[in-house]
Amino acid sequence: MTKIHFSKIQTESKIIKARELQIELPSTPVKYYRHGWQSWSLAAWTSLSPLPVQKPAIFHPLQVDAESVHESRPNGSWLGAVEFADGNVLLLGALATDTIVLLEQDQLTGRSEAGDVEWFMAFGREDVIFAEYANALEHRFGSIQRNDTPRVWCSWYSLYHAIDEPALHKIFDELTDLPFEVLQVDDGWQMDIGDWTVNEKFPSGMADLAQKIKSTGRRAGLWLAPLIATKTSQLFHEHKDWFLRDEHGQLVSAGFNWGQPLYALDTTHPDVTPWLVALMKQVRTWGFDYLKLDFLYAGALKGKRHNNMPREAAYRESLRVMREAMGADAFFLTCGTPILPALGLCDAMRIGPDVGAHWEKHRDSVLFYNFTIPGTRNAIRTVINRLWLKPLVRIDPDVVYFESNENSLTPEQKSLLQDLALICEFKATSDLPQWMTRDEYEHLRAYLNLNPEIKQTGRYTFEIGNRQVDFTPATELPEIPNGLVALWASFLSWLGDFHFVLRIFKWLDDEALKKRRARGAFC
Ligand code: 9PG
């Protein structure tokens, strides 16, 4: 254990090599910066008191780092920071994967699962020291050329998985008038999770779909989740030995979605790498050159790998392999990704949870203390706390909305989300032309062409053009539930851990989606 005196970093930043490192703080801080593990995990400045463990537990593998979710001391992945009463901040951040930072009494501690690693330490103004950390990360992990950021239409947040060939063709034709560079097909085209072949809803096949997009003068984008599979997939049937297991030989859970438990590929298995390479080449051959690879955290879950290496290092290696296979000319967006291990290997990274056509849900935020679940407030909260990543990679805050037909966000909430995407310089939407009024459509067009001057004036305040924008209200966390409310929350989340309950919710969602699709005049 290496101990560092605060006085050593008070005047200038330091880099020190250690497996475990401790900085003695000069006084008790007032706030802690928690940096969640992957795209969807919470990043926020919080009080020092323990936060409730977010619920339901069945989602832990896909929402947080399941290895540290029960740690009650303030903690986060790779980095942590404390704010003192005078506003100064002390940052401790690893320049390596497989590391965590936590606050133990008045000591900020860094730990590595991968032997000695370099640690960056700095004290002073928050914006200055985070920029220095980003700079140090760039030297270790690399960064990407970011002279352009495509404007994207993505199918997820309007039709969800209820996409098919006629519907997408109709939308692509109607969008020709708007300045998008990419039309991206999301979840809903594949045979199964694990079987990345076309399903019956796309009778002309994937190459035809890519061709249709390219014929409108845009780049063709495609979603896939190459590192997970469900038991129903052919991949699972044929290659059970490719999946990650624990030390008892049990399959490691990668969470639950699509009404089914998810499992993770062991990317160090010698047969998995060629399979991933072939998959990337296949989608490129179809004609897609904007790839949104999702649920990537599965490659970094704890387990007994074929090649015994630290879990995040294994994940980074699998990204390197996929990046190389798709080619440097493909645009690679990572989603549901552990943040640090993906730096330097992808063109863009989702840095927050999914948005939604609603602000937040009482059950999820107040009862379950879950800020990972799709919802616009959750997305804004984490993204605004991860803007320091911008010099390293294009940061994707998820889509923005303009239409009000199928959306319960207030105009102010929509505008906050739009402003956040301007700050990120990443513009995407899923809005359907036929759901927008003439005004909303023109608003979207003007927005896509907008390039305002932006100045950050405080942690959560900005000057955008000549407007002052304050994100503070979106960042606050609700009171911790206690008494009867806490009891009710525990009961509900206990229910939420049963597969059949989650399947009932999925059935209800699917029914609602059918009606939504019908209102989109696709039937
Ligand atoms: C497709 C979607 C979209 C979306 C992705 C990802 O916490 N969760 O349970 C959770 C589930 C799904 C999810 C995010 C979080 O969405 O972020 O853009 O591509 O998959 O299924």
Side-chain angles (χ1 to χ4, degrees):
M1 156 88 71
T2 308
K3 293 206 178 219
I4 305 287
H5 272 283
F6 172 72
S7 56
K8 288 247 169 67
I9 35 179
Q10 206 171 2
T11 46
E12 58 183 292
S13 58
K14 283 239 161 335
I15 293 178
I16 283 177
K17 221 169 173 176
R19 193 179 64 79
E20 200 168 323
L21 182 141
Q22 229 169 46
I23 309 173
E24 187 99 37
L25 305 183
S27 60
T28 304
V30 293
K31 277 190 172 172
Y32 188 85
Y33 177 73
R34 296 169 180 260
H35 186 264
W37 189 49
Q38 53 119 319
S39 307
W40 307 324
S41 323
L42 174 71
W45 282 97
T46 68
S47 80
L48 305 189
S49 340
L51 297 186
V53 175
Q54 70 176 60
K55 299 179 171 82
I58 194 170
F59 289 132
H60 284 166
L62 102 150
Q63 297 190 328
V64 291
D65 180 11
E67 302 316 308
S68 54
V69 68
H70 293 289
E71 171 61 70
S72 60
R73 293 167 292 193
N75 71 90
S77 300
W78 313 291
L79 66 142
V82 287
E83 184 189 330
F84 296 99
D86 65 359
N88 274 318
V89 170
L90 172 72
L91 166 71
L92 171 61
L95 299 174
T97 61
D98 297 286
T99 48
I100 57 156
V101 170
L102 73 159
L103 182 68
E104 308 180 281
Q105 273 114 35
D106 275 354
Q107 289 174 334
L108 196 57
T109 304
R111 283 194 194 134
S112 151
E113 285 177 38
D116 278 0
V117 296
E118 284 185 311
W119 294 93
F120 170 90
M121 284 157 274
F123 174 78
R125 265 182 54 175
E126 180 182 348
D127 55 342
V128 174
I129 61 176
F130 270 83
E132 275 179 28
Y133 178 48
N135 189 37
L137 282 172
E138 186 174 6
H139 281 107
R140 306 306 185 285
F141 289 84
S143 65
I144 42 87
Q145 294 293 314
R146 47 188 295 284
N147 31 26
D148 66 309
T149 299
R151 293 166 287 190
V152 182
W153 186 88
C154 148
S155 62
W156 183 247
Y157 301 88
S158 48
L159 292 179
Y160 294 96
H161 52 79
I163 50 171
D164 60 24
E165 192 173 292
L168 288 187
H169 276 226
K170 180 168 186 266
I171 296 166
F172 296 156
D173 286 336
E174 285 170 354
L175 285 172
T176 45
D177 198 27
L178 289 171
F180 289 109
E181 279 81 28
V182 178
L183 303 180
Q184 184 239 312
V185 179
D186 214 283
D187 185 2
W189 62 271
Q190 72 282 359
M191 279 302 273
D192 205 342
I193 302 300
D195 299 338
W196 305 104
T197 49
V198 71
N199 64 31
E200 68 295 338
K201 295 190 292 171
F202 294 85
S204 314
M206 293 310 282
D208 182 86
L209 191 60
Q211 186 47 43
K212 169 72 193 171
I213 296 174
K214 289 189 286 183
S215 74
T216 71
R218 324 295 172 86
R219 287 177 84 153
L222 189 65
W223 171 95
L224 56 165
L227 303 184
I228 54 167
T230 50
K231 278 192 176 169
T232 50
S233 67
Q234 223 178 320
L235 184 78
F236 188 88
H237 276 288
E238 287 171 9
H239 303 289
K240 287 197 183 59
D241 58 317
W242 287 9
F243 288 83
L244 188 65
R245 289 171 188 271
D246 62 19
E247 64 276 20
H248 308 296
Q250 299 294 318
L251 283 168
V252 170
S253 166
F256 194 95
N257 203 25
W258 300 281
Q260 295 186 69
L262 310 177
Y263 299 99
L265 283 174
D266 173 0
T267 60
T268 69
H269 188 289
D271 297 337
V272 171
T273 307
W275 181 83
L276 287 172
V277 168
L279 178 59
M280 294 304 120
K281 293 198 173 239
Q282 173 68 79
V283 294
R284 288 303 313 272
T285 308
W286 285 337
F288 294 93
D289 66 355
Y290 175 104
L291 305 186
K292 173 180 175 185
L293 303 192
D294 203 355
F295 289 78
L296 290 173
Y297 63 87
L301 292 171
K302 189 177 171 189
K304 201 168 172 325
R305 289 185 163 69
H306 199 270
N307 179 345
N308 181 22
M309 61 200 289
R311 57 197 176 105
E312 290 174 9
Y315 168 59
R316 184 167 172 81
E317 176 56 20
S318 77
L319 281 187
R320 200 193 54 71
V321 164
M322 289 191 283
R323 163 93 257 185
E324 196 179 291
M326 70 177 76
D329 55 331
F331 188 102
F332 180 15
L333 167 64
T334 50
C335 188
T337 178
I339 306 293
L340 239 69
L343 291 176
L345 294 174
C346 56
D347 298 290
M349 185 188 291
R350 256 288 280 290
I351 57 161
D354 288 19
V355 297
H358 59 280
W359 185 237
E360 69 179 338
K361 291 198 174 135
H362 179 267
R363 181 199 63 200
D364 299 333
S365 297
V366 177
L367 298 180
F368 290 175
Y369 228 70
N370 186 324
F371 309 110
T372 315
I373 268 177
T376 295
R377 186 180 186 176
N378 289 344
I380 294 178
R381 184 189 293 109
T382 285
V383 169
I384 200 84
N385 280 298
R386 283 219 180 105
L387 296 177
W388 62 270
L389 286 162
K390 199 175 166 193
L392 296 168
V393 63
R394 291 183 190 83
I395 46 175
D396 170 9
D398 210 359
V399 304
V400 300
Y401 297 99
F402 290 86
E403 63 93 10
S404 40
N405 221 9
E406 295 289 330
N407 195 303
S408 68
L409 295 172
T410 65
E412 294 72 29
Q413 292 164 345
K414 273 189 210 148
S415 144
L416 207 59
L417 185 61
Q418 291 158 13
D419 283 335
L420 184 61
L422 288 178
I423 294 168
C424 294
E425 291 178 71
F426 197 105
K427 294 175 188 159
T429 190
S430 292
D431 282 359
L432 297 177
Q434 66 266 38
W435 283 353
M436 283 184 266
T437 62
R438 195 70 225 164
D439 276 0
E440 287 164 351
Y441 188 85
E442 288 310 323
H443 189 182
L444 167 59
R445 185 205 305 281
Y447 179 83
L448 291 171
N449 287 318
L450 217 57
N451 226 338
E453 215 166 289
I454 296 177
K455 216 175 96 197
Q456 185 158 13
T457 52
R459 181 177 284 163
Y460 300 132
T461 52
F462 291 80
E463 221 172 81
I464 302 180
N466 51 13
R467 292 178 303 120
Q468 309 292 327
V469 183
D470 186 357
F471 294 89
T472 315
T475 63
E476 279 145 20
L477 296 177
E479 298 246 325
I480 294 170
N482 56 34
L484 277 181
V485 181
L487 213 63
W488 177 233
S490 301
F491 172 69
L492 284 184
S493 91
W494 174 76
L495 279 180
D497 280 335
F498 287 102
H499 292 185
F500 81 92
V501 175
L502 293 170
R503 287 195 185 112
I504 293 172
F505 274 100
K506 177 169 165 27
W507 180 81
L508 290 170
D509 281 352
D510 287 352
E511 288 304 300
L513 183 57
K514 274 187 209 153
K515 294 195 183 121
R516 189 181 164 93
R517 206 191 117 96
R519 289 193 296 272
F522 290 117
C523 295

